[in-house]
Amino acid sequence: MIGRLYYAAKVYFSSYGIAWFDVDTFLKLLGFIDSKKVLSTSEMDYFFKKNSQHPFAKTGREGYYFARLLWHLGILVKSSGRGYKLSSYGQNLLNNIENNRENREDILRLVFKKWYPLIVFLKYIDYKGSVSMRVISSELGGEMKHWTSILYQLGILKKGNIAKPYNKFVVSSLFIPLSLDLGLIDKKGSEVKLTKEGKEVVRDRVESSDIIRTMPGDYTIYAGIADVLYDAKEPVIVSPWINGTVEKLIRVIGSINEDLSKVTLVVRNTQKNRDVIKRISKTTPLDVECRYYQNLHSKITANYQGPSIESSANLLTTSLKRNYEIGTYYPKTPEELALAVEELISISRPLEIFQENVARP
């Protein structure tokens, strides 16, 4: 149901920490944010403690988690310092809700139909027809455990074998209430099934190129790079600067992907890059072709027969884990991107790292 590393990471990071949902509290939160203009997560914590009866709202961390959720939904943007404010989309959403209170459910459905963890949840129910919460947490949670164990090996997650967000508690306290509030499922006894509106959400979903925004602590671009290598035979990695991150990436994916036989690296000719490539060449049985182009600025990881990703992020820990970055994930490499990568290889030169005296440009 999840299918790829990239989509598993997208589910995990865009739902991180969210374990419950109440539509009235959610709408009050939007109004509170609007009244403050710019606010911190600690102010959001105060809001939850004062306005929600849910026991999780009293933990003192819900402000941070819901700020992340609203950011992923496009409702919030970061402001100066550690503050958040409504985006133009968030402001239009709030105005629309205030002016069309009788259509509140329809408006919120449009918002959450973009939230990938919910899409996966609904697709699973559609596949099963009718299913219990216990089976959801067992089967869909089992899929997440498979993918999160790999993400853990890559250093993308701090813990492995994580079923969240499809474990028993989150399914019962978040996905079921949210789907019921939006009119996407019907519940009879312990079983749930999709409504007409739920089926429409699943039907309207088409996997296409995906614009990725990452904030510090959100490693979706990193997961997208790993995803490209996951089932590739001869992928190409283009990055002006690299470090031990790409070394670990190639080593771990090489141990998982038995079809991976060759990796082409296109980088700048720097001593740090050369040192990393030396280590890679010594620690992997793969054929590693190293090339350099000194004016390189592109960052692309491509599998001509599968997915590709281009982004602003270098293959460095600081870029992939600590920076605000933006990128595009393509489930199938576009011909234009494949051509661009081909040209980068063509204009680059072999990097003979094991020669003692290499002419520098």
Side-chain angles (χ1 to χ4, degrees), residues 2 54 59 80 102 115 139 174 179 191 194 218 259 297 344:
I2 297 171
H54 197 285
T59 64
S80 57
E102 68 279 5
W115 192 43
E139 294 187 353
L174 170 62
S179 300
E191 299 271 320
L194 295 188
D218 183 333
D259 292 328
H297 190 68
L344 284 170

Side-chain angles (χ1 to χ4, degrees), residues 230-246:
Y230 183 73
D231 53 4
K233 293 183 178 179
E234 298 186 357
V236 180
I237 298 174
V238 179
S239 179
W241 295 279
I242 59 175
N243 65 7
T245 300
V246 71

